């Protein structure tokens, strides 16, 4: 259909279609590229308002909140003050779909506009939903809107953050409501519409905010529930009183009464059904400054923005500037996910600051708190801040106790992994040792070990602290193509398979110096790669060594479930005579288990009975007990032990 530029607001249509197309690209990107995973809420301004409130309240951002959202939320506030609700008219996909469905309703002649008392009563719903959404977000530090947001539910394919029943109700309200009732979701349900209207009542909002801040600074403790309640009730009351905002936005539709022909085209064109033709200045709270009325007016200069005909394209220009500014600011500015200090203000002021980027294990609120708890145990560290978007940490420390290298060592965790079983006929191991830039944490180790396992015949890999970190990779045969191996290690990225599908991981490691090649014996390699497991229990320290006996069994194929040894130990501890459990290497460098027991309380047949039990009785940290299927099978090892005796 050919666009009639006189009557069609093509910049707004382009913006709306562009947003919808972008969302569809994000939605189908995993299927097209086989790489996960788009973030559909990354630049949501309503999520940003919730995130900002949560951050100010708890000084922390959860995993579902981002600095980019906060930037968009702040720009939403600025945009409403200056230009009205541009997000609603130009960007919001729910608003766009509501308008399209409304056009269908008009063609079928089944859509109507609610007026009078019913209109006023229904407007309360969005303020009620706003209160519920903000209350539970601030309580839980998680975006509550994701549970019911119709856009997020459909775009994400009803992911785990969505409450299906809530989302289905929301989708039905958008679809059915928009066809039969003019912009039903936007006018009566949308919490973003409610908070935008509160921003329009700028004097009320600013005074409320200032009073709350002043009271807090005076040491008066007031729950956030009170200003939230006043904002929602007050916003609804102001909307009921006049449906007009007095001072803001600064940009308003104005009508020249002397040139107006009273053709009513502007009123008929308005998506919100505002009677533009009867107003000198459009101050209606529902006006989104979409600009449709400006383009349909047949008399030049009659309908303008602030009586300035040249400002006709201001809404779309302002929208583009706000969005681009938000994207740029959101990518360069970051709110700390946590910012914790456990020393006095004076101590923090004198502390040195160490900053380190590229820590992939700093990825959310939970990992940030784990990092903070780790740093609290280090003498001389006074506080930390984390920035998950850039995987960056900031550490406040005493430079008379610690230096930067010591801090890095405290951050570093050496790791080792067996990549493949070493062939029995191999007696000499070939290895490469590298110092890698941009390689530090467990994620780096896991990523590189995945690549090495998939692309080479390497049997093991370890990391050791140094600046840069030392990585050693072990092979059963001499390395033939050393250049190819180095190129693989220095790959910029790699596509790995995860439980959620294929994921492209960033690597970018660089060998700082020429790698070293060396050989080692099979025995030394076995000792290097072995990680012992040891536990004591049932008051082991109260017994002297002369009453303790040891029972040793080969680990055998049970090494495959070695990560469940804690289950086995919990089960064995139910026998009061068993007081310790450990794994070690025997004289042939084979892993064995060693069970220590008091021979006057228990005996080997009882221990064997526990090992061969069909189920394991375990005690959880809460004190509760439960049973799980025994995943260990020592029957062959026990049988061989009996024969040898």
């Amino acid at each position: 259909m050919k666009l009639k530029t006189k009557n069609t607001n093509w910049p707004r249509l382009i913006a709306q279609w562009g947003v919808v197309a972008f969302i569809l690209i994000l939605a189908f990107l995993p299927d097209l590229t086989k790489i996960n995973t788009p973030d559909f809420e990354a630049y949501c301004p309503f999520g940003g308002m919730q995130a900002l409130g949560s951050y100010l309240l708890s000084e922390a951002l959860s995993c579902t909140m981002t600095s980019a959202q906060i930037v968009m939320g702040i720009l939403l506030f600025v945009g409403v003050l200056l230009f009205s609700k541009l997000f609603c008219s130009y960007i919001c996909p729910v608003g766009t779909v509501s308008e399209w469905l409304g056009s269908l309703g008009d063609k079928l002649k089944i859509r109507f506009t609610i007026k009078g008392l019913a209109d006023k009563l229904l407007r309360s719903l969005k303020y009620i939903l706003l209160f519920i959404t903000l209350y539970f977000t601030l309580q839980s530090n998680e975006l509550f809107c994701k549970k019911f947001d119709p856009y997020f539910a459909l775009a994400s394919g009803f992911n785990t953050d969505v409450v299906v029943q809530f989302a289905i109700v929301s989708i039905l309200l958008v679809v059915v409501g928009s066809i039969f009732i003019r912009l039903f979701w936007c006018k009566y349900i949308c919490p973003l519409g409610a908070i935008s209207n509160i921003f329009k009542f700028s004097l009320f909002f600013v005074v409320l905010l200032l009073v709350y801040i002043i009271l807090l600074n005076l040491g008066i403790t007031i729950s956030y529930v009170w200003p939230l309640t006043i904002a929602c009730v007050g916003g609804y009351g102001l909307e009921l009183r006049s449906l007009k905002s007095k001072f803001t936005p600064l940009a308003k539709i104005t009508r020249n009464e002397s040139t107006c022909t009273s053709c009513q085209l502007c009123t008929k064109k308005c998506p919100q059904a505002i009677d533009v033709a009867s107003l000198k200045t459009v101050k209606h709270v529902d006006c989104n400054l979409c600009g449709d009325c400006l383009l349909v007016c047949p008399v030049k200069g009659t309908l303008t923005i602030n009586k300035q005909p040249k400002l006709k394209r201001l809404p779309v220009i302002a929208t583009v500037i706000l969005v681009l500014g938000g994207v740029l600011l959101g990518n360069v500015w970051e709110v700390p996910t946590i910012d914790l200090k456990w020393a006095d203000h004076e101590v923090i002021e004198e502390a040195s600051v160490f900053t380190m980027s590229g820590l992939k294990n700093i990825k959310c609120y939970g990992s940030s708190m784990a990092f903070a708890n780790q740093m609290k145990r280090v003498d001389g560290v006074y506080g930390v801040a984390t920035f998950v978007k850039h995987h960056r940490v900031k550490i406040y420390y005493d430079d008379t106790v610690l230096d930067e290298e010591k801090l890095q060592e405290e951050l570093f965790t050496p790791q080792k992994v067996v990549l493949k079983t070493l062939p029995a006929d191999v007696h000499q191991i070939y290895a490469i040792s590298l110092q890698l830039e941009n390689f530090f944490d467990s994620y780096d180790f896991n990523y590189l070990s995945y690549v090495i396992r998939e692309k080479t015949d390497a049997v093991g890999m370890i990391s050791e602290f140094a600046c840069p970190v030392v990585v050693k990779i072990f092979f059963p045969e001499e390395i033939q193509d050393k250049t190819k191996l180095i190129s693989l290690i220095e790959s910029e990225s790699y596509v790995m398979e995860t439980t959620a599908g294929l994921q492209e991981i960033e690597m970018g490691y660089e060998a700082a110096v020429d790698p070293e090649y060396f050989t080692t014996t099979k025995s030394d390699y076995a000792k290097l790669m072995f990680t012992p497991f040891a536990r004591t229990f049932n008051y082991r320290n109260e017994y002297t060594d002369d009453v303790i006996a040891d029972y040793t069994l080969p680990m055998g194929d049970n090494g495959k479930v070695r990560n469940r040894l804690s289950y086995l130990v919990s089960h064995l501890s139910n026998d009061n005579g068993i007081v310790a459990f450990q794994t070690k290497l025997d004289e042939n460098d084979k892993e064995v288990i060693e069970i220590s027991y008091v021979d006057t309380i228990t005996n080997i047949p009882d221990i064997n009975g526990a090992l061969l039990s069909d189920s394991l009785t375990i005690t959880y940290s809460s004190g509760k007990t439960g049973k799980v299927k025994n995943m260990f099978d020592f029957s062959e090892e026990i049988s061989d032990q009996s024969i040898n005796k």
Side-chain angles (χ1 to χ4, degrees), residues 452-465:
I452 295 299
R453 179 189 288 111
E454 293 293 310
K455 292 295 184 179
T456 73
D457 60 351
V459 292
M461 177 173 139
I462 66 171
S463 64
E464 299 172 350
F465 178 74

Side-chain angles (χ1 to χ4, degrees), residues 273-304:
I274 298 171
D275 189 4
V276 180
S278 66
L279 301 172
K280 186 175 181 180
T281 301
V282 180
K283 299 179 180 179
H284 199 289
V285 73
D286 289 341
C287 179
N288 297 336
L289 205 69
C290 68
D292 284 5
C293 58
L294 299 175
L295 296 174
V296 78
C297 181
V299 181
K300 186 176 180 180
T302 296
L303 282 181
T304 58

Side-chain angles (χ1 to χ4, degrees), residues 243-506:
L243 290 177
K244 293 179 182 178
S245 55
K246 293 190 178 297
F247 303 106
T248 54
L250 299 182
K252 300 181 181 73
I253 300 294
T254 53
R255 184 175 64 91
N256 187 335
E257 294 178 297
S258 63
T259 58
C260 178
T261 64
S262 299
C263 64
Q264 304 295 316
L265 288 176
C266 53
T267 297
K268 294 176 182 177
K269 187 67 174 177
C270 179
Q272 302 285 345
I274 298 171
D275 189 4
V276 180
S278 66
L279 301 172
K280 186 175 181 180
T281 301
V282 180
K283 299 179 180 179
H284 199 289
V285 73
D286 289 341
C287 179
N288 297 336
L289 205 69
C290 68
D292 284 5
C293 58
L294 299 175
L295 296 174
V296 78
C297 181
V299 181
K300 186 176 180 180
T302 296
L303 282 181
T304 58
I305 294 176
N306 293 356
K307 301 179 182 181
Q308 299 293 324
K310 294 181 180 180
L311 297 180
K312 182 169 64 174
R313 297 300 182 193
L314 175 64
V316 68
I317 293 172
T319 300
V320 171
I321 291 174
L322 287 171
V323 170
L324 290 179
V327 172
L328 291 174
L329 282 174
N331 283 325
V332 298
W333 175 75
E334 186 175 8
V335 172
T337 302
I338 62 169
D339 190 356
L340 302 178
K341 301 175 182 69
W342 43 87
D344 295 336
H345 177 73
E346 295 77 12
V347 175
I348 295 295
E349 286 293 312
E350 297 297 323
S352 297
V353 178
F354 170 69
T355 301
M356 186 171 183
S357 300
L359 299 175
K360 298 181 180 67
N361 58 339
I362 303 297
K363 58 187 179 68
C364 66
Y365 174 77
S367 58
S368 295
M369 289 303 298
F371 165 73
N373 290 331
Q374 175 189 352
M375 289 293 101
K376 281 182 180 179
R377 295 191 290 268
V378 179
D379 291 336
V381 173
Y382 301 138
V384 298
T386 65
F387 304 83
V388 300
K389 181 179 177 64
H390 297 99
H391 305 293
R392 181 164 55 92
V393 300
K394 182 187 290 185
I395 302 174
Y396 301 89
Y397 71 100
D398 183 348
D399 58 13
T400 65
V401 178
L402 299 162
D403 57 26
E404 292 190 357
E405 185 171 340
K406 180 62 178 175
L407 279 172
Q408 291 184 66
E409 188 173 1
E410 292 290 347
L411 287 171
F412 182 77
T413 302
Q415 292 184 274
K416 62 180 72 174
V417 63
V418 175
L419 302 174
K420 296 182 180 71
T421 302
L422 188 65
D425 58 346
V426 171
H427 300 287
Q428 181 167 264
I429 310 298
Y430 298 84
I432 179 175
S433 177
L434 311 96
Q435 284 192 272
L436 293 181
E437 298 279 7
N438 308 320
F439 184 103
F440 192 83
D441 61 25
S442 59
Y443 278 79
D444 292 317
F445 186 87
N446 291 339
Y447 292 161
L448 184 58
S449 64
Y450 179 90
V451 174
I452 295 299
R453 179 189 288 111
E454 293 293 310
K455 292 295 184 179
T456 73
D457 60 351
V459 292
M461 177 173 139
I462 66 171
S463 64
E464 299 172 350
F465 178 74
C467 292
V469 172
V470 172
V471 174
K472 296 178 181 179
I473 307 171
F474 301 90
F475 296 83
E477 298 177 349
E478 189 172 358
I479 303 168
Q480 298 299 319
D481 195 336
K482 297 176 181 177
T483 302
K484 183 178 179 181
L485 176 61
I486 298 300
S487 297
L488 178 66
I489 293 170
E490 294 185 331
S491 299
E492 287 297 321
S493 64
Y494 191 80
V495 176
M496 66 183 295
E497 188 170 355
T498 68
T499 53
L502 296 181
Q503 179 181 1
E504 185 173 12
I505 56 173
E506 293 184 8

Side-chain angles (χ1 to χ4, degrees), residues 53-99:
S54 180
Y55 181 77
L56 293 176
L57 188 68
S58 63
E59 296 186 349
L61 284 182
S62 77
C63 302
T64 58
M65 301 176 181
T66 66
S67 298
Q69 287 175 327
I70 291 178
V71 169
M72 286 300 184
I74 294 172
L75 289 180
L76 172 76
F77 173 67
V78 173
V80 170
L81 292 183
L82 297 178
F83 311 110
S84 190
K85 300 183 288 186
L86 295 178
F87 178 85
C88 299
S89 59
Y90 281 83
I91 299 173
C92 179
V94 180
T96 297
V97 170
S98 294
E99 286 190 29

